[in-house]
Amino acid sequence: MSALPRAPSAKSAPGRDAMPDDQLMLAYAQGDGAAFDVLYARHEGGLFRFVKRLLGARLAAQADEVFQDTWVRIISARDSFSPQGAAWRTWAFTIAHNLAMDRLRVSGREVALDAHFDDGDDAVPLLDRGVPGAAPDAAAHPSAEELAFWRAAGRRLLACLDELPAEQRAAFLLHHEDGLTVEALAASLGIGFETVRSRLRYGLQKLRGCMERYLSVLEQRA
C-alpha cells in the first residue's frame, strides 16, 4: 500500500487519541500531520472493509485503489471540511461510497432496483441475529459447533450481500454497519427519505431470504 500524502507535521497539543474526529480533521487542516495519523489509524479498518464489501467479490481487487482514492480525496478536501455539516465519519464514508459507486458504474454492475412498500411502519427492521459480529453470548463459552455455525453464517451473509444490487448493498452497509440513520443516509447521498427506506427494506428482504436457513436455526434456539 503506497504512502498517502500529508501536510507537514506541526507542533500541537498532546492527547490527540482522545480528540473527536471533527477536531482531528480541523487540526490536520491547520498543518498537524499527526492528527491525520490518528484519524487514519482510527478508521482505516472500517473504511477498507466498507469499500471492499461495497465493491463485492468481482471487484475486490480494486478495493485497495478505491480505498487509497478515498483518503486522497479526504486529504484534498481538508480545507473545506466543516463540523457544522455531516460528522467526519459520515462525510468520509460518503466519499468512499461515491468513489465505489463510480467504479461499479464503470464496470456495468450497478442495477438500479428499488422496491416500494405501502405499510406505514417507519422503522427499518434489523437482522437481529446471524450477522458478522453477532457472536454468541460473550459470557458463555461457545462450543466448537457454535463457533463453526457463526463462522459459516458470517461467510453466508457476505455472499448474500454480494448478490444485492449495489445501491441496496451500500444503503445496508451504511445503515447497519456504519450506523447512519435513514435521515442521515438521505442527506449524505442526496436522495429522498422514501428512496432510502425502500432500498433498505428491499435489500433486507432479500438478505432474509438468502439467510433463511441460518435464521430458522436461530429462531428455533430462541
Side-chain angles (χ1 to χ4, degrees):
M1 187 177 291
S2 58
L4 290 165
R6 299 187 316 172
S9 295
K11 290 184 178 180
S12 61
R16 297 184 192 86
D17 288 342
M19 291 173 63
D21 294 336
D22 292 354
Q23 291 184 19
L24 287 169
M25 189 65 183
L26 292 175
Y28 171 56
Q30 296 173 3
D32 183 3
F36 175 82
D37 291 341
V38 175
L39 266 178
Y40 185 85
R42 187 178 291 174
H43 297 286
E44 175 187 12
L47 200 54
F48 183 77
R49 183 173 62 250
F50 170 71
V51 167
K52 188 172 182 179
R53 290 181 178 175
L54 181 51
L55 289 176
R58 297 179 195 174
L59 293 183
Q62 300 184 38
D64 189 70
E65 183 178 350
V66 173
F67 174 76
Q68 292 283 351
D69 288 347
T70 298
W71 285 102
V72 169
R73 289 284 184 92
I74 290 170
I75 290 166
S76 299
R78 61 186 179 274
D79 292 329
S80 63
F81 173 76
S82 171
Q84 280 71 45
W88 184 90
R89 185 178 174 90
T90 300
W91 177 73
F93 272 71
T94 302
I95 291 174
H97 165 272
N98 292 339
L99 289 171
M101 294 299 288
D102 286 345
R103 192 63 60 98
L104 286 164
R105 291 186 184 101
V106 170
S107 75
R109 289 192 62 217
E110 181 182 346
V111 179
L113 178 63
D114 292 317
H116 299 279
F117 294 81
D118 295 327
D119 62 299
D121 183 10
D122 288 335
V124 178
L126 301 177
L127 272 175
D128 294 322
R129 302 179 182 182
V131 297
D137 188 352
H141 297 285
S143 65
E145 182 181 358
E146 284 281 332
L147 291 174
F149 172 85
W150 286 101
R151 290 193 185 102
R155 288 193 297 268
R156 178 60 178 167
L157 182 58
L158 292 178
C160 294
L161 280 170
D162 196 41
E163 295 175 8
L164 290 180
E167 290 181 343
Q168 294 165 20
R169 184 165 64 250
F172 179 88
L173 291 172
L174 286 168
H175 181 62
H176 291 282
E177 185 164 307
D178 194 46
L180 269 67
T181 64
V182 177
E183 292 83 357
L185 266 171
S188 63
L189 300 181
I191 58 179
F193 178 88
E194 289 300 325
T195 300
V196 174
R197 279 188 72 224
S198 69
R199 290 178 184 177
L200 286 169
R201 285 182 178 275
Y202 189 67
L204 189 59
Q205 184 183 54
K206 292 185 70 175
L207 286 173
R208 284 188 181 278
C210 189
M211 293 288 294
E212 183 177 3
R213 180 164 64 92
Y214 291 95
L215 292 175
S216 63
V217 172
L218 290 170
E219 288 170 0
Q220 292 171 9
R221 295 179 180 178

